[in-house]
Amino acid sequence: MIRQSERKIVNIWEGLKYACILAVLVFIGSLLLGEASSNASIEEVESAVTATMDLSGMEKASNRMMKRLYGLNANDYEGAVLYISTFNMDVEELLIVKVKDISQTETVSAAAESRKETQLTNFDGYGVEQCQLLNDSILNVRGNYIFFVVSPNAKEAEKAFLGSL
Amino acid sequence: MIFSSIFFLYVFLPITLLLYFLMPKPGKNIVLLIVSLIFYAWGEPIYVFLMLFSIIFNYLTGMEIEAYREEGEERRVRFCFWLAVGVNLGLLGFFKYYGFFLENLNAILPFDIPYKELPLPVGISFYTFQTLSYVIDVYWGKVKVQKNVLSFGLYVTMFPQLIAGPIVQYSDIERQLKKRKTTLTKFGEGTTWFLRGLGKKVLLANNIGMAFDAINAIPKGELSVLAAWVGCLAYTMQIYYDFGGYSDMAIGLGKMFGFEFVKNFEYPYISKSITEFWRRWHISLSSWFRDYVYIPLGGNRVSTPKCIRNIFIVWILTGFWHGAAWNFMIWGLYYGILLCLEKYVFKSFLERMPEFLKHVYTMFFVMIGWGFFFSTSMGDAFGYLGAMFGMNGMPLVDSNARYYLMSNLWILVICVICATPAAYRWFRSFAFSRGKYRVGISVLLYGGILLLSTAYLVNATYNPFLYFRF
Amino acid sequence: MENRRRTQYREKNIRYAERKEKRRRRIRKKMKKQYILSALLLLLTLSVVVIANGIKQDSEFSPTENRMLTQKPEMDWTTIQDGSFMTDYESYVSDQFIGRDWWISLKLSVDRLLGKKESNGVYLGKQQYLMEVLSTPDEVNLERNLNAVLEFQKKHSDLNFFFTLIPNAAYILTDFMPDNAPVRDQEEDIQRVKEKLGSAVTFLDVTETMRAYRREGIYYKTDHHWTSRGAYEAFQAMASGLLIENPATEYDIYPVTDQFSGTLASKSGYRKAKDTIEIYIPLGVTNEYVVYYPDEQKKTASLYDSESLNQKDQYEVFLGGNHAMVDITTTCEDNRCLLLFKDSYANAFIQFLTPYFREIIMIDPRYYYEDIENIISSRNVTDILFLYNANTFFEDNSLADVLISELDETVEETESSEQQTQETDAETETQTEQETVQTETTE
């Protein structure tokens, strides 16, 4: 009698154990696959993000500007928008890129990183607020979207970005 | 989170101590378990799930093994056991080595397999070895199964040894999980361990590490012989104080909460042979490999060829444990060869060498070993080692060498002295011999360490921790 | 007899053992005392610091470090998940730590005591000189920048082209460097630039001049810039090269502050020394001008911004710091218009140039994104000067973009390839540039 109930418990343990293994496999799978690509259009994401930001001191930059500042060719991507400060001594920027192919994400995020580095050296020792903004900048890669923002509202903008995907 | 940070010292630790000592006895383990999970999640908010999995899975395995054993179903026991070994090693292997494996596979294959590099979960090499030691010991019947999942969880996650060891074997700590004593004296003993470790890590390792980084950044073709040796010595000291200091802190924190961990370092640089060095360096790792790999393979009670095979298996694994890269493999192999030579070829010769030469011999090979260890690639390693012997055509001494030697001279001297038992022995005999204020002065010295470490940590933009990688 | 000796012996042994036991007990007692005192020490320190940190108000800005301090981060699920909350919180705790400045200075004193000669990329020289560690040229960008300059010169071959690189303190002030400190041979790097630029661009080499005056305070002790004195000596050496006849030799020199503590003091943390900033007013020449800052749409009649003297970075007294563009018009009768591509070294140099040009347009390529060709065509530019300090120039990656991006379709580039590697960046850049220019015109 006792034997049997014990046996039952062992079976439960075993079941739990396999559930654990299954869970960890799912966990690893989700890590490997990363975030699923988003179908949201770049315009939707752009309008969601810009709604959270004060754009009075910023303007939408041309593709040429994107090429110069980030070395990115807008036509290589499904969609890419860049906002920069109208005033040259401001560092506020917003870059949203939707890639055609996940393999492009690395190039884009590296470009954003190096843009940040360049700006940091440019303002190092001169612009205290600028350096602070740059240090607080957010770079987020979510599936097929790359998001880079330098702004006092960076956190809200990021939330809007994540919400819009 | 690492111990040598302002956040740990002045936020996490005070809160933890307060909670732990306010909590009545039955709850203490739960407090410790929860703060340990927070401690881990603080640095690895996602991978904490992996750790929770590891706890539950190995706990269940232990319970099952015992239940089946009571029923005499040895086949099921064996299956459970090997499944657990497979899963534990599989997880470790996957997170640590699959990027390396695919990278090398891609190099051979005509086509590329795309893969996503996952960051390594901190401490996975350490806690996997701990859970393995538990499962194996249960299987061997060396320990009783842990019926309390909280106690088992505490064994796996306990924050003092979570990230960088010492690798605590379950059998060593089994009883302490249930019953241990915390007294003010023991807490104080822990404090002295902790502060010594903090000083080693923050004041010595970080400082001398900067010298190594500067020298290692010089192109290998422009390193003079002396500069290369100064750099290598700096690294030799850095890795010892970094890892040794961290282990001391772990032991100290353990004592504060009433635990006794095994010693992890025993003045390795005073060894008189490579064999002795490995008895004094990272003791918990060497003993783990000894107990769970070397001896089960037959140890040295088998024929000489088999014994040599065992030695090589252990040392290649040891090398590989340190990181998924060829240079760690070579480093392990290097020690395998040295140990075999010491054991079978040069044994009597070494014994007849004058004491002084024994030290020189040991340190020489240990330092060359670090050359493999700190390089990021084999090419780098040979470049650096070449520079140490003037193979790059640079002179013996140049201004670089003089500059780095002179600007780090004091710290190097302190490092070398503290790497021998002499300094601590002197300190003890000073503190504990007759005289009124001696104990007070020694405590002030500990206070000084805390003060200076805080100053360095507040200022630290530079606080990398070497053993995170493993 | 025998017995007596034996008992004596035994007694001696017992006494010895007793003494040993006593000693052991004493040590154990002392050890216990040490442990308990250590425990109390730790607990006391922790509680004092925790309480002090709790009481202390968070501050926003650290004047000593010249940076904004991290504020308490807000906790939410996303920031916890990606770990940014934790890292932010850690830097918040250490940034707002009680007595932060005191701890930092304590650390620096210990470093000094241990014989450290460097702090955070700054050499701690003799006589309180601080000098920035020299940068290693970024070869890819250097090549790209210099090619762009040559290309630009070809396009505007009717203009006078001047180029100068000011060597840095760590290279020039050998007398004040820590002994044996490794220094890059900047002169060699500068010579390479000179050779590359060839004869079409007049290279004004001031290395010898700077070296000759190395004991005259030509660099600040606490800042990475040159002093007005340094700029003055360089100007004297460069004047004839710049085709300036009869440059003024007499100047009124006004010290505007003797409390200057510059960027290197901030960076290294060694802030004992103080520098004097001087301004130089030329005598015997007409020197009237209007300075226009297009970005701020602000006009002033002075090169000096006295308000800057009340702030941390007093070097900003020259032109109020860096601007993407500064336009200076003067009453000079000579009809020369100078387009100056520059870094912050030029800010202290400009005071020597105003008497000799009708207009000076300063462009800082790091911040300037507009079309440079417009300026050249609309302002009648006659001279172009590139003035950088060597350290900045060797790391710069913005000059080529300003010069080259507007190069028109006549520039011919080979191969169109989809792939962009770093090396071919410059080429593909102009390539795609052309494309975009074309598509834009067709639109």
Side-chain angles (χ1 to χ4, degrees):
Chain A
M1 206 50 210
I2 296 166
R3 265 276 147 98
Q4 230 166 29
S5 73
E6 248 178 27
R7 189 63 203 244
K8 237 181 230 159
I9 293 173
V10 176
N11 283 340
I12 294 171
W13 288 337
E14 194 152 21
L16 269 176
K17 202 174 78 176
Y18 289 117
C20 265
I21 296 180
L22 196 71
V24 94
L25 286 177
V26 171
F27 176 72
I28 289 175
S30 72
L31 285 180
L32 276 181
L33 290 176
E35 304 79 14
S37 293
S38 165
N39 288 323
S41 76
I42 186 118
E43 288 81 17
E44 287 165 19
V45 178
E46 179 187 354
S47 62
V49 171
T50 48
T52 65
M53 294 170 66
D54 174 17
L55 288 177
S56 56
M58 296 175 85
E59 63 184 4
K60 201 163 175 174
S62 65
N63 287 353
R64 199 169 59 203
M65 218 44 155
M66 190 181 307
K67 177 73 193 161
R68 185 196 283 179
L69 302 183
Y70 286 83
L72 296 177
N73 202 347
N75 298 327
D76 290 350
Y77 306 99
E78 175 119 14
V81 278
L82 172 65
Y83 284 83
I84 55 175
S85 301
T86 35
F87 178 43
N88 285 331
M89 298 306 285
D90 274 346
V91 291
E92 288 174 40
E93 272 173 31
L94 167 68
L95 175 76
I96 306 173
V97 178
K98 184 179 185 185
V99 295
K100 283 180 181 158
D101 180 344
I102 294 290
S103 64
Q104 292 175 317
T105 49
E106 219 158 285
T107 327
V108 180
S109 55
E113 289 279 357
S114 87
R115 170 68 182 157
K116 178 183 165 187
E117 283 308 307
T118 308
Q119 286 286 76
L120 270 173
T121 31
N122 285 350
F123 288 95
D124 183 28
Y126 301 104
V128 176
E129 287 92 4
Q130 284 98 324
C131 283
Q132 174 71 5
L133 281 183
L134 286 164
N135 281 325
D136 286 350
S137 68
I138 291 175
L139 172 64
N140 201 333
V141 182
R142 274 294 148 116
N144 53 343
Y145 268 98
I146 294 102
F147 170 83
F148 175 63
V149 65
V150 187
S151 160
N153 278 3
K155 285 230 165 95
E156 286 82 69
E158 188 194 24
K159 249 177 242 164
F161 163 72
L162 293 174
S164 68
L165 293 183
Chain B
M1 200 187 315
I2 52 176
F3 302 149
S4 51
S5 72
I6 287 296
F7 180 78
F8 176 81
L9 265 177
Y10 292 105
V11 179
F12 186 87
L13 186 60
I15 292 176
T16 302
L17 290 176
L18 204 67
L19 289 177
Y20 185 81
F21 288 104
L22 285 184
M23 194 66 164
K25 208 151 216 169
K28 283 195 194 302
N29 276 357
I30 297 175
V31 168
L32 213 47
L33 177 64
I34 290 172
V35 294
S36 295
L37 284 173
I38 293 173
F39 179 89
Y40 191 73
W42 189 263
E44 299 282 5
I46 298 297
Y47 286 148
V48 74
F49 292 106
L50 209 60
M51 162 151 283
L52 286 173
F53 160 79
S54 197
I55 294 171
I56 297 171
F57 174 78
N58 289 294
Y59 167 75
L60 290 173
T61 299
M63 298 293 277
E64 265 191 87
I65 287 181
E66 184 180 76
Y68 286 137
R69 179 157 288 160
E70 272 177 14
E71 290 176 28
E73 298 199 45
E74 272 307 310
R75 213 173 48 86
R76 277 171 185 268
V77 170
R78 232 173 299 140
F79 176 75
C80 264
F81 168 69
W82 285 109
L83 181 73
V85 171
V87 167
N88 279 311
L89 286 179
L91 274 185
L92 175 64
F94 174 76
F95 278 101
K96 203 161 173 178
Y97 302 109
Y98 112 108
F100 172 75
F101 176 72
L102 279 179
E103 186 190 320
N104 282 292
L105 201 64
N106 280 344
I108 309 168
L109 289 177
F111 53 89
D112 264 14
I113 306 169
Y115 64 96
K116 186 179 166 192
E117 195 95 50
L118 289 176
L120 180 69
V122 161
I124 192 171
S125 316
F126 291 94
Y127 73 70
T128 305
F129 270 36
Q130 296 208 161
T131 53
L132 272 178
S133 95
Y134 168 73
V135 172
I136 298 173
D137 282 351
V138 168
Y139 177 68
W140 282 345
K142 255 175 73 181
V143 295
K144 266 203 259 131
V145 74
Q146 174 60 261
K147 294 235 160 78
N148 184 339
V149 71
L150 294 179
S151 298
F152 182 70
L154 181 58
Y155 161 66
V156 180
T157 61
M158 200 176 350
F159 80 87
Q161 42 81 29
L162 176 56
I163 283 177
I167 299 169
V168 179
Q169 293 187 14
Y170 182 72
S171 48
D172 290 338
I173 208 170
E174 188 184 1
R175 241 193 283 130
Q176 299 172 31
L177 285 171
K178 212 184 302 163
K179 205 171 146 200
R180 57 182 181 273
K181 249 194 3 215
T182 40
T183 59
L184 190 60
T185 319
K186 192 157 179 191
F187 185 91
E189 192 190 352
T191 304
T192 61
W193 273 90
F194 180 78
L195 290 179
R196 278 200 305 276
L198 187 69
K200 284 182 184 175
K201 164 78 181 116
V202 177
L203 303 179
L204 298 180
N206 284 2
N207 266 320
I208 201 69
M210 284 161 92
F212 166 73
D213 286 346
I215 293 177
N216 199 33
I218 300 172
K220 308 287 171 279
E222 294 167 26
L223 270 176
S224 67
V225 175
L226 181 63
W229 278 96
V230 171
C232 193
L233 179 66
Y235 187 80
T236 304
M237 291 305 159
Q238 183 194 3
I239 186 131
Y240 167 58
Y241 285 110
D242 195 282
F243 195 17
Y246 213 82
S247 291
D248 285 358
M249 284 190 268
I251 292 169
L253 286 167
K255 282 184 196 291
M256 289 185 198
F257 298 107
F259 288 96
E260 290 291 344
F261 298 149
V262 287
K263 230 184 207 178
N264 217 9
F265 289 85
E266 182 74 58
Y267 300 107
Y269 292 153
I270 59 162
S271 306
K272 283 183 260 180
S273 69
I274 301 293
T275 317
E276 189 186 351
F277 172 75
W278 275 104
R279 276 203 294 267
R280 292 170 174 274
W281 178 276
H282 204 173
I283 300 167
S284 65
L285 180 71
S286 324
S287 25
W288 196 94
F289 272 112
R290 186 195 60 216
D291 295 346
Y292 298 111
V293 182
Y294 186 67
I295 292 176
L297 283 173
N300 48 10
R301 292 185 177 178
V302 286
S303 61
T304 307
K306 271 203 170 159
C307 184
I308 291 177
R309 178 203 69 180
N310 293 348
I311 290 179
F312 274 100
I313 289 176
V314 165
W315 286 96
I316 287 174
L317 287 179
T318 304
F320 221 41
W321 180 88
H322 280 85
W326 289 111
N327 57 313
F328 290 120
M329 283 272 266
I330 299 289
W331 177 75
L333 199 64
Y334 167 86
Y335 274 110
I337 294 171
L338 280 176
L339 289 168
C340 274
L341 287 177
E342 275 194 0
K343 199 173 167 104
Y344 294 110
V345 186
F346 298 121
K347 193 167 187 208
S348 57
F349 173 73
L350 280 175
E351 274 165 7
R352 272 181 279 122
M353 259 197 324
E355 296 288 293
F356 171 70
L357 275 183
K358 284 183 192 165
H359 289 296
V360 173
Y361 148 82
T362 308
M363 277 322 286
F364 176 81
F365 283 104
V366 167
M367 282 171 77
I368 303 285
W370 293 134
F372 287 110
F373 195 85
F374 64 62
S375 300
T376 44
S377 69
M378 287 315 292
D380 252 21
F382 285 114
Y384 196 96
L385 292 171
M388 286 169 74
F389 298 98
M391 313 258 266
N392 55 1
M394 284 292 291
L396 270 177
V397 181
D398 65 352
S399 68
N400 259 335
R402 274 193 291 267
Y403 176 72
Y404 287 115
L405 183 61
M406 292 321 286
S407 57
N408 292 291
L409 193 61
W410 280 113
I411 193 117
L412 272 175
V413 168
I414 295 172
C415 280
V416 171
I417 292 175
C418 292
T420 69
Y424 188 55
R425 203 185 296 144
W426 177 85
F427 174 72
R428 280 176 64 103
S429 76
F430 165 82
F432 301 141
S433 53
R434 262 180 243 274
K436 220 173 172 189
Y437 300 110
R438 288 176 171 229
V439 169
I441 291 171
S442 75
V443 172
L444 283 182
L445 243 130
Y446 279 119
I449 293 178
L450 181 59
L451 187 85
L452 289 184
S453 298
T454 306
Y456 272 79
L457 286 176
V458 167
N459 202 39
T461 40
Y462 186 85
N463 192 21
F465 178 59
L466 293 179
Y467 252 75
F468 260 2
R469 286 192 293 153
F470 304 121
Chain C
M1 194 71 186
E2 181 77 350
N3 255 350
R4 232 182 92 192
R5 202 177 290 157
R6 204 172 285 160
T7 39
Q8 250 179 3
Y9 183 70
R10 200 180 298 144
E11 269 170 18
K12 209 168 150 192
N13 251 356
I14 289 168
R15 249 180 288 141
Y16 178 71
E18 267 175 1
R19 228 181 304 143
K20 213 169 157 190
E21 180 54 36
K22 230 170 142 190
R23 188 160 166 262
R24 203 175 293 140
R25 229 179 293 144
R26 191 189 70 221
I27 288 183
R28 211 174 298 138
K29 218 175 107 197
K30 287 212 161 195
M31 227 149 106
K32 198 172 167 189
K33 198 170 146 202
Q34 190 200 38
Y35 290 158
I36 288 171
L37 284 175
S38 301
L40 295 178
L41 175 97
L42 182 76
L43 293 175
L44 191 74
T45 317
L46 290 186
S47 8
V48 166
V49 172
V50 168
I51 291 169
N53 274 333
I55 293 171
K56 182 191 157 269
Q57 296 280 316
D58 289 351
S59 39
E60 285 229 325
F61 178 76
S62 158
T64 42
E65 285 170 83
N66 195 23
R67 67 181 182 90
M68 311 288 283
L69 297 173
T70 315
Q71 301 300 307
K72 195 172 201 157
E74 279 168 43
M75 196 194 303
D76 67 38
W77 182 237
T78 42
T79 52
I80 288 181
Q81 209 181 349
D82 66 14
S84 64
F85 170 76
M86 290 79 139
T87 37
D88 285 354
Y89 202 90
E90 286 196 36
S91 63
Y92 159 71
V93 172
S94 108
D95 269 10
Q96 304 290 354
F97 200 72
I98 187 88
R100 182 174 165 82
D101 291 346
W102 180 82
W103 291 107
I104 289 175
S105 64
L106 173 65
K107 184 245 176 195
L108 292 169
S109 326
V110 177
D111 270 355
R112 211 60 221 258
L113 215 67
L114 286 169
K116 282 260 170 83
K117 293 293 192 310
E118 251 174 81
S119 172
N120 202 11
V122 177
Y123 287 121
L124 315 174
K126 295 166 192 164
Q127 296 185 20
Q128 299 184 325
Y129 254 107
L130 301 173
M131 285 165 279
E132 205 170 14
V133 173
L134 299 180
S135 59
T136 312
D138 168 357
E139 295 295 343
V140 177
N141 277 314
L142 180 61
E143 182 79 12
R144 194 165 155 256
N145 284 341
L146 293 177
N147 282 335
V149 170
L150 288 171
E151 215 56 74
F152 191 62
Q153 190 275 333
K154 238 183 255 164
K155 184 150 187 281
H156 301 285
S157 51
D158 51 330
L159 309 181
N160 297 324
F161 269 74
F162 308 101
F163 198 107
T164 185
L165 287 180
I166 315 299
N168 293 91
Y171 180 67
I172 294 297
L173 303 181
T174 42
D175 309 353
F176 303 109
M177 277 291 275
D179 292 333
N180 292 314
V183 181
R184 196 181 164 81
D185 188 348
Q186 239 180 13
E187 192 166 15
E188 203 183 288
D189 292 334
I190 291 174
Q191 285 303 321
R192 255 174 44 213
V193 172
K194 186 176 173 181
E195 275 158 32
K196 170 88 187 172
L197 290 174
S199 55
V201 176
T202 312
F203 194 93
L204 306 164
D205 193 348
V206 292
T207 313
E208 275 311 313
T209 314
M210 298 309 274
R211 194 176 286 139
Y213 292 97
R214 64 184 182 277
R215 292 178 160 280
E216 311 294 328
I218 53 176
Y219 296 97
Y220 293 111
K221 286 184 170 180
T222 66
D223 196 76
H224 68 286
H225 291 106
W226 56 356
T227 60
S228 296
R229 175 67 192 272
Y232 164 80
E233 298 299 351
F235 173 71
Q236 293 301 332
M238 283 158 60
S240 65
L242 285 169
L243 310 175
I244 294 169
E245 287 159 24
N246 310 320
T249 46
E250 298 282 309
Y251 287 83
D252 271 340
I253 303 169
Y254 301 102
V256 290
T257 174
D258 56 2
Q259 289 301 311
F260 177 39
S261 174
T263 54
L264 296 183
S266 284
K267 207 172 163 196
S268 68
Y270 289 92
R271 44 189 89 253
K272 279 217 185 100
K274 291 280 182 266
D275 277 305
T276 299
I277 298 181
E278 294 167 330
I279 60 175
Y280 279 54
I281 309 292
L283 297 174
V285 285
T286 45
N287 188 30
E288 282 168 24
Y289 46 77
V290 174
V291 185
Y292 176 56
Y293 302 99
D295 271 334
E296 295 89 340
Q297 309 221 323
K298 194 179 79 183
K299 268 186 189 174
T300 67
S302 169
L303 290 174
Y304 312 105
D305 175 35
S306 52
E307 273 175 35
S308 296
L309 294 172
N310 303 326
Q311 68 182 47
K312 168 85 190 153
D313 186 5
Q314 295 176 322
Y315 184 77
E316 291 196 354
V317 70
F318 300 107
L319 297 165
N322 282 335
H323 303 269
M325 179 175 172
V326 180
D327 189 353
I328 303 165
T329 38
T330 73
T331 55
C332 173
E333 294 184 352
D334 217 339
N335 224 1
R336 294 175 76 185
C337 171
L338 176 72
L339 178 59
L340 173 60
F341 293 99
K342 59 102 199 173
D343 64 11
S344 53
Y345 264 51
N347 298 2
F349 187 70
I350 207 76
Q351 54 188 336
F352 300 101
L353 292 179
T354 46
Y356 313 104
F357 294 91
R358 179 183 43 79
E359 183 170 5
I360 299 173
I361 303 156
M362 300 169 74
I363 300 289
D364 199 322
R366 292 173 294 180
Y367 316 113
Y368 187 79
Y369 305 130
E370 323 279 308
D371 190 344
I372 203 75
E373 294 298 326
N374 280 345
I375 293 182
I376 296 190
S377 52
S378 65
R379 307 292 178 92
N380 264 328
V381 170
T382 56
D383 299 78
I384 293 179
L385 169 64
F386 297 85
L387 188 146
Y388 279 83
N389 77 84
N391 234 1
T392 313
F393 187 72
F394 289 139
E395 283 184 327
D396 178 76
N397 60 4
S398 57
L399 178 59
D401 289 326
V402 169
L403 298 179
I404 236 175
S405 68
E406 309 307 329
L407 285 184
D408 53 22
E409 300 87 285
T410 55
V411 182
E412 284 179 24
E413 292 295 342
T414 48
E415 283 181 309
S416 69
S417 111
E418 286 282 320
Q419 288 186 335
Q420 303 171 4
T421 57
Q422 271 225 316
E423 286 76 21
T424 57
D425 221 353
E427 286 154 23
T428 40
E429 174 139 33
T430 25
Q431 171 81 37
T432 46
E433 223 61 84
Q434 285 169 36
E435 281 167 13
T436 42
V437 169
Q438 274 162 3
T439 51
E440 268 173 16
T441 44
T442 52
E443 265 165 17

